[in-house]
Amino acid sequence: MGEKTKRLALVASKGTLDQAYPPLILATAAAAMGWEVGIFFTFYGLYILHKERLERLQVSPIGNPAMPPPIPALPALKVPNVLGALPGMTAMATTMMKGRMAKAKIPSIREFLDLCVETDVQLFACSTTMGVMGISQEELIPQARCAGATTFLDYAADADVTLFV
């Protein structure tokens, strides 16, 4: 008798660029290991599946104390939250993050989603949150499956690993 396939259930609730990577990295890594994987996208995490918004995810410099300084030569420089509210700081933080990811040869969010689709990762879009946020199925990538909490809970009930990332 063969070994049972492991299952990973992830919940993605954040819609910023830096928070979109963890569930997609974990999902594609588990799928590459032969695991069955499902991600439940809820609240702002739905933006990761949104055809238009996924290309415009940003990094917020406000409330992100681990964010590195904008000038690498000044590693001791701490960017106070008040500076993060200045015009252009979100764009700068987003550009900086995209540059770091490209330099490290990390796939883009779109590329990670394509990898998820290629490796049969199930992409669950929270139907309740879609209603709350006024997002229709047509606005999501075609591979996203509209699902309620009970559908995902049934999926997660059989998971070997469940993470909220």
Side-chain angles (χ1 to χ4, degrees):
M1 189 171 211
E3 189 176 312
K4 175 188 171 277
T5 301
K6 290 187 179 181
R7 179 182 277 191
L8 172 62
L10 297 162
V11 176
S13 65
K14 307 281 190 296
T16 60
L17 181 64
D18 54 327
Q19 292 297 315
Y21 275 101
L24 299 176
I25 290 170
L26 290 167
T28 54
M33 294 169 57
W35 290 28
E36 182 183 344
V37 183
I39 310 173
F40 187 69
F41 295 87
T42 187
F43 289 90
Y44 296 112
L46 279 173
Y47 292 165
I48 300 167
L49 297 177
H50 195 281
K51 290 177 194 173
E52 294 176 15
R53 292 180 187 230
L54 78 88
E55 302 293 346
R56 294 178 292 155
L57 299 179
Q58 298 181 321
V59 176
S60 174
I62 298 175
N64 198 348
M67 191 170 155
I71 304 167
L74 302 172
L77 177 69
K78 297 292 183 200
V79 179
N81 273 335
V82 71
L83 291 181
L86 293 174
M89 290 300 285
T90 297
M92 184 179 81
T94 300
T95 299
M96 188 172 75
M97 172 68 130
K98 286 182 176 181
R100 286 175 171 244
M101 299 309 261
K103 184 177 179 183
K105 296 181 176 29
I106 303 294
S108 68
I109 297 303
R110 170 68 75 183
E111 291 167 328
F112 264 118
L113 284 170
D114 291 344
L115 286 170
C116 284
V117 170
E118 289 172 23
T119 56
D120 297 321
V121 171
Q122 293 188 55
L123 307 173
F124 299 99
C126 177
S127 58
T128 302
T129 304
M130 287 173 66
V132 168
M133 298 181 78
I135 297 173
S136 68
Q137 180 72 45
E138 294 75 30
E139 294 175 277
L140 302 178
I141 63 171
Q143 300 83 0
R145 172 183 167 203
C146 182
T150 57
T151 299
F152 182 72
L153 288 172
D154 282 341
Y155 180 90
D158 293 327
D160 297 285
V161 178
T162 302
L163 300 171
F164 191 94
V165 289

